[in-house]
Amino acid sequence: MAVTPTAALVQTLNGIQFGFILFMIASGLTVILGILDVLNLAHGELFSLGAYTAIGVFGFIIGIVGPPGGGVVGTAVFVLAVLAAVLVTAAILLPVGTLFEAVFLRQIYDRDQVYQLVLTFALLLILLDVKKVIWGDSSIRTDAVYSAINTIPTSELVGLNYPTYNVFVILVGSVVVVGLFWFFERTKTGRIIRATAIDREMATAIGVSTDRVFTLVFALGAFLAGFAGAMAVPPTSATLEMGTNPLVLSFVVIVIGGLGSLRGAFVGALLVGVIRSWMITLYPPGEIAAPFAIMALILLVKPEGLFGTWGETA
Amino acid sequence: MPERVDRDRTPAYRFLGVEVTRREAAFLVLGVVVLFIVPDLTTVSDSLQLSVIHQGLLFGFAAVGLNLLLRHTKLTSFGHAAFFGTGAYATAVLARYAGVQSVGLLLLGAIAAATVMAAIIGALSLRHTGLYFALLTLAFGQLLYAIALGQSALGGSDGLPIRPGPANQPLLFGTAFSPDVYQVLTYYLTVVVILIGLFVMYRITQSPFRNALDAIGQERTRARFIGLPVRRYVWAAFVVSGIYGGVAGGLYAVVRQYVRPEGTLFFLRSGDILFMAILGGFRTLVGPLIGGVVLVFLQDVGQDVTQYYDFLTGVVLLILVYGFPRGIVGSLRSGGIVNTRLNELRREPSVLSTWGRTAVQSIERKVTEALTSLRIILFGVD
């Protein structure tokens, strides 16, 4: 099959866009794993909870702002409104994460790791049906955001027919990446989290409350998952089982990057996103298999993942 | 014939290397009898279905295999559906493309395929322990799932039928039976296989091999220092546990006469198998089997009763984690937290007010903590 350069570029961009979404999910997962030592199986459900919530929030906020008005100002207002909706959605997920950690997980840190798997899996199942109770069985979607943002010309300016919304995701995703690294490198809270990850006992000795750090980290993970859900939902629809696939791919991402490494999660997410996207055009049956094949390969060559574990740098 | 021995001053009997006290022997006989009369029990009530219990037993059998790793080497495999699915698909491929009709041969094929698969996956993933191992097994499981889903020769998402030969079904004793009889006969085949499998597992847990695995599970480095071939032993345990999964998968294919990637290879099936082991009690031999029946039964009954059956399963797992961490069988044997609490209550009813007070206090503390955490999240640490 002949692949034109344009098609290859579009697929790569699609991959990068998906990679950024994946990074937002995987980064939360990897930070939780690196600090709490818990593999949160319910993380995909947090992502999908974000997607469902976002549809309501989008509707509400766009109801206030109205459809994008003409001119640059009107468009800018609309884009800001969408961003605000995404942030609100993510903020709604904060207490959910806090609750999860403080009520459920905290009781069983000293137990066998198996129980944490069972617990987070139980939470996965419960969240699945909570969504079913609230939003029903059928998938729901919001078209307004996707189509409105796509009317803004971006890629057309360089002669490429590519949805503006995807460009928007890539831009916002980059901001999130930069923000996360800034948070962990520069802010006091971020440094405290890193200190806890590197040496929990030492951190306690210098007066860090690990309980609070744990809650904070879990809430941060939920925030990022909600953010990802809100960013991912406009082009598609929110479905009950939408959390499964990103969850499994996030496992791949964090193993490729190294358990607990934020930088690794970033590289891994883009790698998985792009390769998966290429496979869709080159060899469709390989789409599901490719990420796992890469993961197995990387583990055989470099068992600790590309960037090892969490350490002095984020 | 059973030979009488003394174990900790209680009389015990030894037969074929199985050593049991009188009480255990009673439970053993009861268990075997229950297994054998299940087809009759299911005719009594509509809510009990033979196929459901059968499926539970099969997944539970795979969980028995997984338990060898979980209980002794402390390795959590999150990809045991890979072997279940390999067994099932090997059966399907043999029936479809080689025209094998005999159930025995089909099962042998399943065992062979699962052994090879476990040997390969084990060699690749056992370089790691802990979560890495869990994720690696998960990845290999998903890889197989993707292969089964992607290859048209394996039927893609539609799966493959197991209906070889002119009889359009696998043959038991070289004969084709009507569907009803076939269902019951394959059930008894499963029971026999399970009993043999449990016996073999029991012998393994009585052997020095088990002690070696325990040592490895407790402290790998020390085990290597005292001269245990750690890698080789863990690998052997992995292959054995994979074979259990393969046998279960082969039987599943023979019984269902149809395999689909979703039902056999999907990673949630791996999760199911793992949770069955924990639900039943992973410190026990038969726990995983019982956990399998209970979990599958729960999911099936839940589907009839309410559309929110996932919630039901989730709540059961939550109760398991907090109330009965030793699982069903483990708790029955030693009494879980609930049991101790009940005894306390019976002895001294006023303990209730103490519990109430501690509960209120802990809730208060949780709320304060949560508010503090929220403040930290919103305003940072300063």
Side-chain angles (χ1 to χ4, degrees):
Chain A
M1 171 180 4
V3 179
T4 60
T6 325
L9 183 63
V10 166
Q11 283 302 340
T12 310
L13 281 174
N14 278 338
I16 292 174
Q17 179 251 355
F18 183 70
F20 272 111
I21 299 277
L22 205 54
F23 169 75
M24 293 181 218
I25 306 167
S27 58
L29 200 64
T30 202
V31 171
I32 291 173
L33 189 65
I35 292 165
L36 278 66
D37 226 8
V38 169
L39 185 64
N40 180 21
L41 294 177
H43 213 70
E45 294 314 303
L46 293 175
F47 164 74
S48 109
L49 199 62
Y52 272 102
T53 315
I55 288 179
V57 177
F58 278 139
F60 183 71
I61 289 195
I62 291 172
I64 296 173
V65 179
V72 180
V73 179
T75 319
V77 166
F78 185 79
V79 170
L80 285 179
V82 169
L83 278 177
V86 172
L87 279 174
V88 167
T89 310
I92 291 174
L93 270 268
L94 273 179
V96 178
T98 313
L99 202 75
F100 265 33
E101 201 279 338
V103 176
F104 293 110
L105 267 174
R106 186 168 295 171
Q107 328 292 331
I108 57 163
Y109 285 130
D110 46 349
R111 291 234 223 116
D112 235 342
Q113 220 156 28
V114 174
Y115 291 109
Q116 294 158 10
L117 287 179
V118 180
L119 174 68
T120 51
F121 188 74
L123 293 176
L124 181 158
L125 292 176
I126 290 173
L127 269 186
L128 204 62
D129 274 350
V130 166
K131 285 185 303 177
K132 210 193 261 180
V133 172
I134 302 179
W135 288 286
D137 240 340
S138 49
S139 64
I140 56 171
R141 57 179 302 138
T142 168
D143 289 320
V145 175
Y146 188 61
S147 51
I149 288 200
N150 276 342
T151 53
I152 308 168
T154 45
S155 53
E156 289 81 355
L157 300 179
V158 290
L160 183 73
N161 192 11
Y162 190 70
T164 302
Y165 188 79
N166 292 8
V167 179
F168 178 67
V169 170
I170 293 176
L171 289 178
V172 174
S174 316
V175 173
V176 170
V177 172
V178 172
L180 260 185
F181 278 99
W182 173 79
F183 174 72
F184 281 113
E185 293 282 351
R186 293 272 178 258
T187 65
K188 191 175 176 188
T189 315
R191 286 183 187 165
I192 286 177
I193 292 178
R194 253 173 47 219
T196 317
I198 296 166
D199 192 334
R200 198 181 292 180
E201 264 174 48
M202 192 62 198
T204 322
I206 57 172
V208 173
S209 158
T210 43
D211 275 0
R212 282 176 199 166
V213 170
F214 282 8
T215 314
L216 177 68
V217 162
F218 208 93
L220 178 71
F223 179 88
L224 286 167
F227 199 97
M231 289 303 290
V233 78
T236 59
S237 50
T239 58
L240 284 177
E241 58 276 9
M242 71 183 291
T244 315
N245 208 11
L247 176 74
V248 178
L249 283 179
S250 304
F251 291 164
V252 174
V253 166
I254 60 178
V255 172
I256 289 180
L259 299 193
S261 159
L262 205 59
R263 197 168 300 197
F266 179 60
V267 175
L270 287 189
L271 198 67
V272 168
V274 170
I275 287 182
R276 186 171 162 275
S277 165
W278 281 347
M279 287 309 260
I280 292 175
T281 33
L282 292 177
Y283 180 63
E287 183 206 329
I288 313 173
F292 297 100
I294 308 169
M295 167 175 162
L297 199 73
I298 285 188
L299 275 179
L300 294 177
V301 182
K302 210 164 169 354
E304 68 284 357
L306 288 179
F307 287 87
T309 53
W310 193 284
E312 301 296 321
T313 54
Chain B
M1 277 318 285
E3 160 198 356
R4 214 186 137 131
V5 288
D6 269 357
R7 191 171 71 185
D8 303 335
R9 263 174 282 149
T10 41
Y13 300 89
R14 188 204 295 270
F15 184 56
L16 288 174
V18 181
E19 197 181 297
V20 287
T21 61
R22 198 169 294 174
R23 205 177 134 193
E24 286 166 341
F27 273 114
L28 192 67
V29 172
L30 186 72
V32 174
V33 168
V34 168
L35 271 183
F36 272 101
I37 62 170
V38 160
D40 299 307
L41 287 179
T42 51
T43 53
V44 177
S45 159
D46 274 347
S47 63
L48 283 172
Q49 279 179 358
L50 182 60
S51 61
V52 173
I53 294 177
H54 197 167
Q55 196 181 337
L57 282 175
L58 289 174
F59 274 102
F61 190 65
V64 170
L66 171 122
N67 201 25
L68 179 67
L69 286 177
L70 191 61
R71 183 183 180 190
H72 303 300
T73 62
K74 301 264 163 40
L75 287 170
T76 313
S77 162
F78 212 88
H80 243 58
F83 311 120
F84 192 88
T86 304
Y89 266 91
T91 309
V93 166
L94 277 181
R96 175 73 175 261
Y97 297 106
V100 177
Q101 286 174 289
S102 146
V103 167
L105 285 178
L106 287 174
L107 286 183
L108 280 182
I111 293 174
T115 313
V116 173
M117 193 57 81
I120 297 172
I121 295 182
L124 295 177
S125 54
L126 282 168
R127 307 154 128 233
H128 301 273
T129 55
L131 281 177
Y132 262 112
F133 174 77
L135 286 171
L136 253 182
T137 45
L138 172 85
F140 281 114
Q142 278 297 96
L143 191 60
L144 292 187
Y145 171 69
I147 291 173
L149 208 58
Q151 298 301 318
S152 51
L154 294 177
S157 61
D158 290 337
L160 279 180
I162 293 102
R163 296 193 172 278
N168 244 355
Q169 71 173 55
L171 304 182
L172 280 161
F173 316 115
T175 328
F177 294 97
S178 70
D180 291 350
V181 182
Y182 183 77
Q183 202 196 6
V184 175
L185 280 179
T186 46
Y187 174 79
Y188 283 120
L189 178 66
T190 306
V191 170
V192 171
V193 169
I194 283 176
L195 289 177
I196 296 173
L198 283 179
F199 175 70
V200 171
M201 194 55 89
Y202 178 81
R203 290 309 299 261
I204 291 177
T205 58
Q206 299 299 98
S207 69
F209 180 61
R210 173 250 171 105
N211 294 338
L213 290 184
D214 276 339
I216 293 167
Q218 278 161 21
E219 176 68 62
R220 267 180 185 237
T221 323
R222 199 180 298 155
R224 195 154 53 232
F225 269 120
I226 59 170
L228 290 173
V230 171
R231 206 40 105 55
R232 200 142 39 93
Y233 272 27
V234 178
W235 182 76
F238 190 85
V239 173
V240 170
S241 87
I243 291 174
Y244 274 71
V247 172
L251 277 166
Y252 174 90
V254 166
V255 173
R256 282 300 191 88
Q257 302 189 15
Y258 211 94
V259 290
R260 277 204 183 83
E262 284 281 331
T264 55
L265 279 167
F266 196 46
F267 87 103
L268 286 181
R269 297 292 89 71
S270 297
D272 284 345
I273 295 175
L274 178 62
F275 302 135
M276 282 165 188
I278 299 161
L279 179 64
F282 71 99
R283 303 237 179 273
T284 61
L285 179 68
V286 290
L289 200 64
I290 290 169
V293 176
V294 171
L295 196 64
V296 172
F297 186 72
L298 204 68
Q299 283 168 347
D300 183 77
V301 171
Q303 273 174 24
D304 290 345
V305 178
T306 158
Q307 71 179 116
Y308 305 114
Y309 55 93
D310 280 333
F311 190 86
L312 195 72
T313 317
V315 170
V316 168
L317 289 179
L318 274 189
I319 295 172
L320 169 77
V321 170
Y322 295 116
F324 304 91
R326 270 169 290 196
I328 297 171
V329 178
S331 297
L332 283 180
R333 189 178 287 171
S334 55
I337 295 170
V338 175
N339 230 335
T340 11
R341 286 284 165 92
L342 273 181
N343 281 334
E344 242 173 83
L345 190 66
R346 210 172 297 139
R347 233 178 302 125
E348 180 60 63
S350 71
V351 81
L352 212 57
S353 71
T354 326
W355 290 349
R357 217 174 310 130
T358 30
V360 170
Q361 275 168 357
S362 71
I363 290 173
E364 264 173 30
R365 204 171 52 236
K366 291 274 153 58
V367 170
T368 338
E369 269 176 25
L371 287 178
T372 322
S373 309
L374 197 65
R375 185 174 58 78
I376 293 172
I377 290 163
L378 293 179
F379 305 112
V381 199
D382 269 319

